[in-house]
């Protein structure tokens, strides 16, 4: 049923637009923020898959998906605002922009509840800049699990066509 979608970037764009539209609707019309988080994840998954197909990113980054699923309303509304042509989320964004932005620690054994921490306090892997951590301790503890994926990601990234400098 979905086979043709994965082989056609235009169809993936259409599916992404559907998920964005539904997510915005859940925020505005129904106040179903939980569903909006889910639709943001689906939209971002398609967005990243399109990036892989277009060779603008090496692979889908699960940390971005986790941040949308577990993130704060500021992050959620900002994501949708960046993906719609209208200004229908402007009022909602004014309401939520003062909410502290949260990030998601990539270490599965992180001791912090829900593995969420204020984003500006997070540490990022200095190689891939994809994995993020709440503390140096989590970063060091996760390195044995992260190392192979990090190196493979960097190899794939190095093979991508270079973007023109603006």
């Amino acid at each position: 049923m979905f086979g043709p979608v994965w082989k056609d970037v235009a169809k993936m764009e259409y599916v992404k637009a559907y998920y964005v539209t539904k997510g915005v609707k859940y925020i505005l019309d129904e106040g179903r923020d939980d569903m909006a988080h889910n639709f943001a994840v689906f939209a971002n998954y398609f967005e990243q898959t399109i990036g892989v197909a277009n060779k603008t990113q090496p692979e889908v980054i699960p940390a971005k998906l986790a941040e949308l699923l577990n993130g704060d309303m500021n992050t959620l509304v900002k994501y949708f605002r960046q993906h719609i042509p209208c200004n229908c989320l402007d009022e909602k964004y004014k309401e939520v922009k003062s909410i502290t932005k949260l990030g998601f620690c990539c270490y599965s054994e992180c001791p912090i509840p829900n593995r969420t921490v204020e984003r500006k306090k997070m540490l990022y892997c200095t190689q891939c800049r994809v994995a993020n951590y709440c503390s140096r301790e989590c970063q060091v503890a996760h390195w044995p699990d992260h190392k192979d994926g990090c190196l493979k990601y960097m190899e794939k990234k190095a093979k991508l066509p270079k973007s023109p400098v603006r």
Side-chain angles (χ1 to χ4, degrees):
M1 180 173 164
F2 292 107
V5 172
W6 300 114
K7 297 175 184 164
D8 186 333
V9 170
K11 288 179 181 171
M12 284 193 279
E13 288 280 3
Y14 180 79
V15 173
K16 180 188 113 181
Y18 168 80
Y19 285 125
V20 167
T21 302
K22 291 295 283 186
V24 169
K25 182 174 174 29
Y26 276 117
I27 289 173
L28 292 175
D29 298 343
E30 300 173 27
R32 296 283 315 273
D33 301 340
D34 57 333
M35 291 300 292
H37 281 280
N38 291 332
F39 279 95
V41 170
F42 293 138
N44 187 258
Y45 181 81
F46 276 92
E47 180 180 353
Q48 290 190 60
T49 302
I50 292 163
V52 172
N54 289 336
K55 298 185 180 354
T56 58
Q57 77 177 61
E59 61 188 39
V60 173
I61 302 168
K64 288 184 180 180
L65 302 173
E67 202 160 271
L68 284 169
L69 183 63
N70 302 301
D72 54 88
M73 282 302 292
N74 185 332
T75 300
L76 183 67
V77 173
K78 186 174 180 181
Y79 174 80
F80 283 126
R81 272 184 83 215
Q82 293 171 343
H83 291 83
I84 57 175
C86 64
N87 59 1
C88 65
L89 284 176
D90 288 357
E91 285 301 314
K92 185 68 172 179
Y93 183 69
K94 287 176 188 173
E95 289 175 32
V96 301
K97 72 179 180 181
S98 63
I99 293 174
T100 302
K101 293 180 185 175
L102 300 176
F104 187 72
C105 182
C106 288
Y107 182 48
S108 62
E109 302 298 318
C110 175
I112 293 178
N114 299 322
R115 296 166 41 192
T116 56
V117 68
E118 192 173 347
R119 191 177 306 149
K120 69 181 179 182
K121 294 180 180 177
M122 297 198 78
L123 305 172
Y124 294 86
C125 174
T126 56
Q127 290 188 28
C128 67
R129 306 266 321 141
V130 170
N132 33 349
Y133 302 96
C134 65
S135 67
R136 179 80 176 130
E137 293 77 19
C138 281
Q139 187 175 23
V140 169
H142 188 238
W143 179 244
D145 294 331
H146 175 64
K147 183 179 180 180
D148 288 341
C150 178
L151 297 175
K152 287 177 185 170
Y153 177 84
M154 294 306 293
E155 287 171 10
K156 288 179 184 178
K157 187 174 180 181
K159 292 177 184 176
L160 291 176
K162 301 291 181 224
S163 300
V165 179
R166 294 180 185 192

